[in-house]
Amino acid sequence: MHVSVVGSGYVGTTIAACFADLGHEVTSVDIDEDIVAAVNDGDAPIHEPGLDPLVSVYGGDRLRATTDYDTIRETDVTFLALPTPKNDDGSIDTSIMEAGAESVGEAIAEKDGYHLVVVKSTVVPGTTEDTLTPLVEAASGKTAGEDFGVAVNPEFLREGTAVDDFMEPDKIVVGTDGDGRALDLLAEVYEPLVLQWDVPVFETGPREAEMIKYANNGFLAAKVSLINDIGNICKEFGVDAYEVAEAIGLDDRIGEQFLRSGVGWGGSCFPKDTSAIIQHARDAGYDPRMLEAAVEVNERQPERLLSLLDEHVEAEGDRIAVLGLAFKPGTDDIRNSRAIPVIEGLRERGAEVVAYDPVAAGEMAERFPDIEYAESAAAALDGASGAVVVTDWDEFGTLDEEFDAMEEAVVVDGRRIVERREGITYEGLTW
Ligand SMILES: NC(=O)c1ccc[n+]([C@@H]2O[C@H](COP(=O)([O-])OP(=O)(O)OC[C@H]3O[C@@H](n4cnc5c(N)ncnc54)[C@H](O)[C@@H]3O)[C@@H](O)[C@H]2O)c1
Ligand SMILES: O=c1ccn([C@@H]2O[C@H](COP(=O)(O)OP(=O)(O)O[C@H]3O[C@H](CO)[C@@H](O)[C@H](O)[C@H]3O)[C@@H](O)[C@H]2O)c(=O)[nH]1
């Protein structure tokens, strides 16, 4: 099968390389010429474990990148993996998706046979039927359901484990209006995965498929916020939230995953998606109190971390180490990282901030060019009067005598990764 993928970012590049690995011919379309050149040279344009080997094998061969939308015409199915950022009021900005839908429509206008357009990006319920499909129809002069099909197929991969998540998914959600040709084509695209892992394919309507993605992310974000809320209560009473989480996670109805309390969630998805669905619900007249509370608890965690530091250190004029800048380990992505409000809070206190991250320092230096970036955790800790841990990189779990080089060995751990020991004034955020 010949598949095209529009957008070569985290999702687009991952799924394009994986489709090639599943045996499909793949054409990637992106407006960024550097990204296109990189893919054709066999270089992954993003940092993602397991992606380099795939792009180096298939890039320029079974996976070809281009800036030319017209190439879509030669393919059977097009996945739209374009960004859906948020507007200033928190609502979803679908303008890039709309531009993509129009370009796809123009490209298939001259096509004789059926073409399938698949919305892979995260869009609020109704976007595909009410906005994107009419745009493809207008640009192509064709009729949806007759000349071309439309499906919603949200993506659940996580950054840092994107390739594995895509290649071995928990589920594949397919939203159509019952168009048998669309279902058959998607079944063919995913057949190798479904056969190998016996993956459940959940067939539903387009609006349901769109909502399932927000429900999934909203539920997970709220789960972390709930364990953070419980963790904050635990801290007040000297209870270890991690022991509590371990016990409640044994209940199948709760489940053991996503119970790591700490400084909260960040990244490119949870913040923007909770915000988009909250705003979409409000626009419809419903006030989604649980999701609003999940966001509020999340926003408070960095300040709680700094309050614990305040109990031990007069930050003004002091050197304070920030360990971890990425929004989670395994990535250089700092979008909505909890390190951002932590650094801002330290600067408001007049602290001299020295930051360390194994891969994300370069990204953070663009955001905060005038703080110090250390080459190692040891260098960051040297001479510091306090340290805050923001990202749970494994290497922070092996730190030990490095703390002895601190001016004052005060460690406030936002991820329960540092070993508590004598000689360190240790504060866990929720334990
Ligand atoms: N990042 C994730 O982990 C993840 C996981 C699941 C779902 N999603 C969703 O997938 C979508 C894509 O997210 P992403 O993180 O891959 O985005 P991204 O910002 O990493 O990549 C988007 C790509 O689209 C390209 N682009 C922009 N405008 C274009 C246009 N008009 N035509 C062609 N290419 C264009 C950009 O150059 C970029 O390479 C979003 O809706 C997101 O919410 C993301
Ligand atoms: O127990 C936990 C689990 C996660 N987090 C934090 O939650 C955030 C998000 O983590 P994770 O979900 O692993 O990363 P993402 O790559 O943002 O993936 C989420 O967002 C993607 C984009 O929509 C979805 O596809 C994925 O299914 C969904 O997990 C990070 O800041 C983590 O530090 C915690 O604080 N405690």
Side-chain angles (χ1 to χ4, degrees), residues 156-159 213 217 258 260 266 269 327-328 415:
F156 301 96
L157 63 78
R158 292 162 296 174
E159 286 180 29
K213 175 65 192 176
N217 273 358
F258 270 63
R260 293 185 58 81
C269 291
F327 85 93
K328 69 174 193 180
R415 297 289 182 188

Side-chain angles (χ1 to χ4, degrees), residues 371-391:
I371 65 170
E372 186 184 332
Y373 293 91
E375 288 299 318
S376 64
L381 292 170
D382 195 2
S385 302
V388 289
V389 183
V390 181
T391 315

Side-chain angles (χ1 to χ4, degrees), residues 85-145:
K86 64 177 183 178
N87 292 311
D88 289 342
D89 68 356
S91 63
I92 187 171
D93 173 1
T94 55
S95 60
I96 302 172
M97 284 297 282
E98 290 171 37
E102 278 185 324
S103 300
V104 169
E106 285 161 12
I108 62 169
E110 301 298 317
K111 184 170 175 175
D112 286 334
Y114 178 86
H115 192 87
L116 178 62
V117 181
V118 183
V119 175
K120 191 44 125 171
S121 299
T122 304
V123 292
V124 292
T127 307
T128 301
E129 280 185 327
D130 300 343
T131 306
L132 302 177
T133 302
L135 285 171
V136 179
E137 285 186 316
S140 64
K142 292 173 183 277
T143 306

